[in-house]
Amino acid sequence: MSAKPPEPHAELIKACPYRGLVPYFEEDADYFFGRQNDTQIILANCMTTRVTLFYGASGVGKSSVLYAGVMRELHRRALANLQQRDCPECVGVAFSSWRDDPVAGLLERVEESLRKLLPADWLAELPPRAATLPETLRAWTQFMQSDFVLLLDQFEEYFLYRDAHDTSFEDELVAIVNDPELRVNVLISLREDALARLDTLKANIPSLFSNGLRLEHLTMDSARLAIEGPLKLYNDRLPPSAPRLTIDPALIEELLSQLKAGRVRLRKLGMGAVRFGSGIVDHTARVEAPYLQMVMMRLWREDIARGSQAMRLATLVALGGAEQILRSHLDVVMAQLPAAEQALAARVFHYLVTPGGTKIAHYVSDLAAFAQAPVANVARMCALLEEWKARVLRDVTPPGMDSKRYEIFHDLLAAPILDWRQRYEMDEARKKWVLRIGAAFLLCSLLAAWITYQASINATKAAQDTAQHAAAKAQRTAEADKTAAVTKIVEQKNAEIVKAVVGFATDEIAIKEDAHQPTPVLSTEPAVPDFPKAKPGNATLEGAVEFSTTKVDANHKRDVWNADYGKFPDPAHPGRLKAFLITAGKDKTAFVMDLEGDGDFALKGHTDEVNAALINPNPDAASGGWFAATASDDSTARVWKFGTSRDSKVLKHKTPLTGLVWSRDGRWLVTTSKGKDDIKGLAMIWDLTGDLNNPAKILTESTGSIWQSALSDPKHGTDGHSWLVTPSSDGKAYVYSFPDGMLSHRLDHGAPVRRAAITPDGRFVVTAGADGRAILWDLQKSDEKPAVVVVHAKAVRDVTFDSAGHYFATGSDDGSAQIWDTQNLKGIVTLAGHTAPIYSIAFTPRGPGLVTTSWDRTARIWNFAEKRCIAICTGHTNVLWSTKFDLTGNKFCTTSADGTTRIWELKAIPGTEALRAK
């Protein structure tokens, strides 16, 4: 039996010259090696250029370069200039506290820097703060006859917390950069994937993107210096009599090989990953600095802190290599927590890291409320994860606050945290499943024994009282009763087990569309028999890439409910159609984006949130010349003209609207509304070439709320007619001939119908129910019986057909989607991978593809013919509401409660070749 290795010495662990995930700061600059050239380049740019954009991949080491490199050099030069010329000449100020008021925080940081730098007699005469940030900086620079260099670090977090502040910081930053008389240069540092968020500043700072510096990963020589330099300095500072520490040369070469950029992948369980836009031609020439630091710290702990005088290759091999060290970093920490703290951490991590891997800071009191746990327990757990041994969380509490605030220690911990949390919940689910199975079988065994015992007694008594024939008959009856009872008990327990396991995945969440929904009026005898078909097999998640787009629109201040693509005549070029994208927002506006120029504009006039916005599918003047339509909670819809005046016409309902649908020829518009109090929801058909004060037809058959309607293609109908289907909370969907509004079918789903879709030829309708069923109806059959019933574990949120009507898809609160063959009435595949409800789905216009958007803040692209997930689209920081493809079929957008619309190009995503137009 091998001897147990000695315990590591805490003082040696703390003395480690490698930083792990902790950034290097000014006080650590002596141990900061490998970035000397980068430091000089950045320093030269930020001292000579008005505004510098400094960016790079997450974890590349931007903060360390700024603090231990640039700030250290600026401070050294200022002190030298004070001694030589009695003037600092240039003062550096680094700032990264974006969670609170950035104006006040930046002023405080500038004053703090001056207090550390200037003599006491200078500080006594320093002018007081002025009314604004630019004027304050002007007064201080004139007093010192010196320049300021503002290093605005982690600027992507400013956008994360921007809604909590007013816009004064952006206004004052613009004023600073654009004032040529102000002696202040600015460096903005942020992650590369957040560059698109700067569009709001670009409009007011024309030179914003003129001077950009991208920080690359370490070169091989720099990485070798980052390994050897700190250890050499550590040895130089040891007492002369102390033994020197060494590192195995073979270990250095192996580390450089294993930590080449692109080789290590730390992602959520079950996901692959591909990195885009790195700009690195030769991956073998670069090493990822934070991974190098993490591995060196672990090797120091295993070798030096346990009493060895050398860091050895054998230790790296014993630990499973660099990637295994990185993957197990969080596991090692979490395994040391008590079981109760691990369970609490799993709930709390959900609010500190988004599914897309973005960190968010929260107060302990808020985390306790989110996790429904005592504040003291959450505080204790956070304190454990904050300790230097763990370094999973860090305290970012602003001064004067009673409750502490925490965020994850480093961006690179986001993926391991998501991975650990998912594995933890899966393990807990398995434990519950095993316990429930065991309890069910134990109960069944006891009941079976009791029934057998009772049957035996009854049989004996019957034999004594009657003849042998009567006794045999009684015995057979008792045995049959016993078998039936046991079967019933087993079935009940199995049903409870299945329900418990399925219900563990996601909880029911109340959503906007149910807020004012009246109690549904259902038939006393359901018209739809319950005969679920077999659920198709799951698609594979293996090989799915993680992808984030830089094309982000952030014009809305709150939720973006939906988006729509369209084309309309370009006033500047008669005869030419121009592409636009319109979005509907909770901020009471619709926003129109000019996809080919700078002609963006907002549609304002609604007094409550805009639920839906559509662009006229026929820009011909024969459709009335209306450009767009919007629907709002203010109980009105509006149609809008295109041009500088943007005139609109109000279409009135009595209750909040739920949706719009425009006929292909652009002449007719259908508006639908909620039922509220004693007023039932209505569907109205408007002739946009006629009188808009009154609808051409009001459809009154529904007794509840009417949700988003659907139209078939008129070219498949008779005499240019099509079919309109309106889903209702009264448990039915109503099918009308269109545009005359004559009722044709009343489809009795048997539960509130949330969505409905119809094939282009008008033959098939699919309804999505709150009961977890989606029902396919064949309108050519006279019996109005379902053709297929698709069963989900929870409510069905969305249904849709492909462009040819050959397939239909369902998206559910259970986090899965199913695809079915309309012609053969067979299930194709189940798309399971989301960790929260799927809210909207859309077939790709070309090829066998489907996009699903979810409340887990991601969208997924699937190839259902190959039964696999192609890509996980990340970047949104809140739930996703909708998805829409453009007219070419090569792009789609997603809208979110984070106030943004993201545009995704299929050609940029590997594996989507079969889904694109040639």
Side-chain angles (χ1 to χ4, degrees):
M1 184 174 180
S2 60
K4 183 179 179 180
E7 290 296 320
H9 296 287
E11 64 275 10
L12 284 175
I13 295 177
K14 290 183 178 180
C16 178
Y18 304 101
R19 299 289 289 168
L21 289 180
V22 182
Y24 284 87
F25 294 102
E26 281 191 70
E27 57 269 25
D28 314 305
D30 289 347
Y31 287 97
F32 183 58
F33 287 87
R35 291 293 195 185
Q36 283 69 27
N37 290 337
D38 295 318
T39 296
Q40 294 304 316
I41 293 172
I42 299 166
L43 189 65
N45 276 268
C46 66
M47 291 186 67
T48 59
T49 307
R50 195 67 177 167
V51 57
T52 300
L53 197 58
F54 180 53
Y55 62 97
S58 176
V60 75
K62 298 182 294 296
S63 294
S64 294
V65 174
L66 291 182
Y67 284 96
V70 178
M71 272 299 298
R72 167 69 174 266
E73 182 62 17
L74 284 172
H75 193 203
R76 185 193 66 77
R77 292 186 184 185
L79 288 174
N81 290 335
L82 269 173
Q83 292 179 351
Q84 296 170 7
R85 304 183 183 93
D86 196 29
C87 176
E89 293 195 1
C90 187
V91 177
V93 179
F95 179 74
S96 61
S97 300
W98 304 108
R99 300 159 195 84
D100 302 297
D101 180 6
V103 174
L106 181 55
L107 278 172
E108 181 61 36
R109 184 58 55 84
V110 174
E111 282 191 317
E112 179 184 338
S113 299
L114 296 180
R115 286 194 295 269
K116 292 180 179 179
L117 178 65
L118 299 180
D121 56 336
W122 283 47
L123 292 174
E125 299 178 9
L126 188 69
R129 295 185 185 182
T132 66
L133 178 59
E135 291 306 315
T136 302
L137 297 179
R138 187 187 311 278
W140 289 348
T141 55
Q142 289 177 351
F143 168 74
M144 295 186 301
Q145 289 299 298
S146 299
D147 298 335
F148 277 154
V149 173
L150 304 182
L151 308 178
L152 306 182
D153 190 26
Q154 299 179 20
F155 200 74
E156 66 275 0
E157 293 189 9
Y158 166 71
F159 297 108
L160 185 64
Y161 299 104
R162 178 173 56 180
D163 290 345
H165 315 306
D166 57 32
T167 61
S168 59
F169 178 77
E170 286 188 32
D171 296 338
E172 299 199 20
L173 178 60
V174 169
I176 290 171
V177 174
N178 291 337
D179 186 350
E181 302 300 324
L182 188 58
R183 301 177 62 174
V184 178
N185 289 346
V186 177
L187 179 143
I188 297 176
S189 172
L190 75 170
R191 291 200 313 264
E192 191 170 32
D193 58 9
L195 283 172
R197 303 300 298 273
L198 294 173
D199 285 345
T200 56
L201 286 174
K202 180 184 176 183
N204 296 312
I205 306 178
S207 61
L208 182 60
F209 289 95
S210 299
N211 186 43
L213 298 176
R214 187 183 192 277
L215 187 66
E216 304 283 355
H217 292 296
L218 293 169
T219 65
M220 284 294 185
D221 290 340
S222 297
R224 183 175 283 104
L225 187 60
I227 295 173
E228 298 174 339
L231 189 63
K232 181 179 183 303
L233 182 61
Y234 181 88
N235 282 331
D236 291 344
R237 293 181 174 180
L238 288 174
S241 58
R244 268 37 186 176
L245 307 180
T246 62
I247 183 169
D248 188 343
L251 171 60
I252 297 177
E253 299 308 315
E254 186 62 27
L255 285 174
L256 295 180
S257 174
Q258 292 190 19
L259 291 171
K260 290 175 183 176
R263 289 195 59 176
V264 177
R265 289 288 185 268
L266 299 184
R267 287 293 184 267
K268 194 174 176 181
L269 186 67
M271 295 184 183
V274 173
R275 295 180 181 177
F276 298 90
S278 68
I280 302 170
V281 177
D282 181 6
H283 283 270
T284 63
R286 299 284 175 177
V287 173
E288 303 194 38
Y291 293 159
L292 176 63
Q293 291 290 325
M294 288 175 67
V295 173
M296 292 305 299
M297 178 175 277
R298 179 69 182 277
L299 293 175
W300 177 279
R301 180 187 179 93
E302 295 298 324
D303 281 334
I304 306 304
R306 293 184 187 275
S308 173
Q309 301 301 312
M311 301 174 72
R312 302 165 297 163
L313 176 61
T315 304
L316 177 67
V317 174
L319 293 173
E323 186 163 351
Q324 182 58 33
I325 290 175
L326 299 173
R327 290 186 179 278
S328 63
H329 171 77
L330 185 69
D331 288 355
V332 171
V333 172
M334 301 306 294
Q336 298 175 21
L337 292 183
E341 267 71 19
Q342 289 188 40
L344 183 57
R347 302 207 302 273
V348 167
F349 282 160
H350 177 70
Y351 302 100
L352 292 172
V353 184
T354 72
T358 301
K359 63 182 181 181
I360 300 178
H362 281 299
Y363 288 99
V364 168
S365 55
D366 291 335
L367 290 172
F370 296 152
Q372 297 182 345
V375 173
N377 292 2
V378 175
R380 181 174 62 252
M381 184 273 297
C382 290
L384 290 173
L385 294 179
E386 182 196 0
E387 288 183 355
W388 63 270
K389 294 180 181 179
R391 284 177 173 162
V392 173
L393 301 181
R394 64 173 177 173
D395 184 357
V396 290
T397 309
M401 298 302 296
D402 295 332
S403 177
K404 280 195 171 185
R405 183 166 60 185
Y406 289 96
E407 68 178 11
I408 64 170
F409 196 86
H410 195 282
D411 289 342
L412 290 180
L413 285 176
I417 283 175
L418 293 173
D419 178 39
W420 177 85
R421 182 174 179 270
Q422 185 174 359
R423 286 186 284 110
Y424 178 86
E425 290 186 344
M426 291 173 62
D427 289 342
E428 292 301 301
R430 291 191 194 99
K431 292 176 184 177
K432 292 181 180 180
W433 186 83
V434 170
L435 287 174
R436 286 169 178 162
I437 286 287
F441 277 113
L442 177 60
L443 181 58
C444 290
S445 299
L446 293 174
L447 288 173
W450 180 82
I451 291 172
T452 302
Y453 173 70
Q454 291 295 324
S456 175
I457 293 176
N458 292 338
T460 302
K461 184 176 181 180
Q464 294 173 349
D465 294 339
T466 62
Q468 183 177 4
H469 178 73
K473 183 178 180 179
Q475 179 67 25
R476 288 194 300 274
T477 301
E479 291 295 335
D481 291 344
K482 176 191 72 174
T483 301
V486 171
T487 300
K488 183 176 182 180
I489 291 169
V490 171
E491 289 176 348
Q492 290 175 341
K493 291 302 173 184
N494 284 342
E496 292 178 7
I497 292 166
V498 171
K499 182 178 180 181
V501 173
V502 172
F504 181 79
T506 56
D507 297 326
E508 285 289 352
I509 307 171
I511 64 166
K512 173 183 182 292
E513 69 178 28
D514 296 324
H516 304 294
Q517 183 169 303
T519 303
V521 180
L522 303 181
S523 306
T524 55
E525 296 183 1
V528 181
D530 190 6
F531 59 98
K533 300 292 184 181
K535 182 179 179 181
N538 286 348
T540 180
L541 303 178
E542 185 176 355
V545 302
E546 186 175 322
F547 181 75
S548 183
T549 179
T550 58
K551 297 183 178 180
V552 183
D553 172 72
N555 285 295
H556 289 282
K557 298 179 181 178
R558 304 177 70 182
D559 301 60
V560 185
W561 295 123
N562 89 304
D564 185 45
Y565 286 95
K567 289 191 174 183
F568 217 71
D570 185 354
H573 301 86
R576 179 179 179 271
L577 295 179
K578 198 173 186 181
F580 295 92
L581 176 66
I582 190 172
T583 54
K586 194 173 183 178
D587 56 6
K588 307 178 185 179
T589 66
F591 196 85
V592 179
M593 283 169 275
D594 181 349
L595 300 179
E596 300 177 21
D598 298 325
D600 297 356
F601 57 91
L603 300 178
K604 298 182 179 180
H606 285 292
T607 58
D608 208 332
E609 56 188 274
V610 179
N611 296 319
L614 297 177
I615 295 176
N616 189 338
N618 179 16
D620 187 14
S623 64
W626 297 105
F627 167 66
T630 55
S632 171
D633 268 4
D634 65 7
S635 301
T636 71
R638 287 176 180 247
V639 285
W640 305 79
K641 294 288 186 179
F642 184 83
T644 55
S645 62
R646 290 169 204 142
D647 295 334
S648 66
K649 179 64 179 178
V650 177
L651 313 179
K652 296 181 180 179
H653 276 254
K654 295 182 179 180
T655 55
L657 272 72
T658 58
L660 304 163
V661 60
W662 216 314
S663 65
R664 179 182 288 273
D665 61 9
R667 176 180 175 180
W668 305 94
L669 184 72
V670 180
T671 57
T672 53
S673 63
K674 296 179 182 178
K676 185 177 182 181
D677 300 327
D678 295 329
I679 304 174
K680 63 182 181 180
L682 296 174
M684 295 184 182
I685 302 175
W686 304 82
D687 183 352
L688 299 181
T689 63
D691 178 16
L692 296 185
N693 293 316
N694 297 289
K697 185 71 175 181
I698 301 178
L699 310 179
T700 61
E701 281 72 17
S702 169
T703 58
S705 294
I706 302 178
W707 302 111
Q708 180 63 49
S709 302
L711 270 172
S712 66
D713 191 333
K715 69 182 180 182
H716 295 283
T718 303
D719 299 328
H721 280 62
S722 56
W723 299 99
L724 170 70
V725 55
T726 60
S728 173
S729 64
D730 67 7
K732 301 179 179 65
Y734 301 88
V735 183
Y736 303 88
S737 62
F738 185 84
D740 55 33
M742 300 298 294
L743 182 65
S744 173
H745 296 77
R746 184 182 279 104
L747 307 177
D748 195 345
H749 188 107
V753 183
R754 300 172 182 269
R755 293 285 187 275
I758 188 168
T759 53
D761 62 6
R763 176 180 176 180
F764 290 103
V765 169
V766 61
T767 54
D771 58 354
R773 299 184 303 169
I775 301 178
L776 180 71
W777 312 81
D778 187 345
L779 300 186
Q780 291 185 357
K781 295 182 178 179
S782 59
D783 57 4
E784 294 188 357
K785 298 294 184 181
V788 167
V789 178
V790 178
V791 178
H792 282 270
K794 293 188 178 182
V796 181
R797 287 288 176 197
D798 199 11
V799 289
T800 188
F801 288 98
D802 73 325
S803 58
H806 294 161
Y807 303 97
F808 72 93
T810 62
S812 169
D813 273 2
D814 65 10
S816 73
Q818 295 185 38
I819 297 180
W820 288 69
D821 185 331
T822 308
Q823 309 302 312
N824 300 314
L825 306 182
K826 293 173 59 177
I828 302 297
V829 66
T830 297
L831 311 177
H834 286 292
T835 58
I838 292 175
Y839 196 81
S840 69
I841 54 179
F843 279 102
T844 56
R846 294 171 178 81
L850 187 80
V851 174
T852 55
T853 62
S854 169
W855 290 353
D856 66 7
R857 307 175 188 181
T858 70
R860 287 177 179 253
I861 306 174
W862 310 80
N863 185 319
F864 60 85
E866 298 179 356
K867 299 183 178 181
R868 66 185 181 93
C869 181
I870 297 174
I872 301 98
C873 302
T874 64
H876 283 293
T877 59
N878 210 327
V879 301
L880 274 66
W881 290 122
S882 76
T883 182
K884 181 74 174 183
F885 273 89
D886 75 345
L887 301 179
T888 70
N890 288 326
K891 298 178 182 178
F892 68 95
C893 66
T894 53
T895 68
S896 169
D898 65 9
T900 69
T901 302
R902 289 179 174 260
I903 298 176
W904 313 80
E905 296 192 36
L906 291 179
K907 68 179 180 181
I909 305 175
T912 62
E913 291 80 5
L915 312 182
R916 308 177 207 158
K918 303 301 182 183

